[in-house]
Amino acid sequence: MVHLPNLLFLGVAGPLRRRLGAPLVCTLSGEDGFVEGLPQPYRDRALDLIAKAAGHVKAFVATSRWQADRCIEVFRLPADRVHTIWTGIHARDLAGG
């Protein structure tokens, strides 16, 4: 498995998958704000490239349901491949006894 730390690495997703034959997982980490801040025509071009390259990724991981839903909408990601994994642990799980 190859982990891409954010969507801006999707430009190498196709070559990585072809070369390594390994599944790709990509973390969603707030790129929506960056991409939406790009001036036109770069914003639309970036959104198109991300949507196309997303086909090379086996799973996308968001740290909140809100972020997952937002990225599905903004980047046109396939909803069935976007998963939420919350960060952190509950302090009660650390209590001894």
Side-chain angles (χ1 to χ4, degrees):
M1 177 182 349
V2 175
H3 175 250
L4 302 175
N6 67 57
L7 282 176
L8 301 181
F9 283 86
L10 286 186
V12 298
L16 275 175
R17 197 185 80 178
R18 285 189 292 278
R19 175 77 184 227
L20 301 175
L24 304 178
V25 175
C26 180
T27 297
L28 304 172
S29 52
E31 303 88 341
D32 51 315
F34 173 79
V35 173
E36 287 184 320
L38 293 173
Q40 290 295 0
Y42 306 108
R43 179 184 322 137
D44 285 345
R45 181 71 176 132
L47 291 170
D48 287 343
L49 289 170
I50 288 168
K52 288 178 185 173
H56 297 290
V57 177
K58 178 97 171 158
F60 296 91
V61 176
T63 57
S64 72
R65 188 68 242 166
W66 181 88
Q67 183 68 28
D69 291 341
R70 175 104 172 105
C71 288
I72 290 167
E73 177 187 340
V74 171
F75 298 117
R76 304 185 306 257
L77 300 179
D80 63 325
R81 286 191 275 143
V82 178
H83 309 278
T84 302
I85 300 174
W86 290 271
T87 58
I89 57 173
H90 290 287
R92 69 176 179 267
D93 294 338
L94 296 175

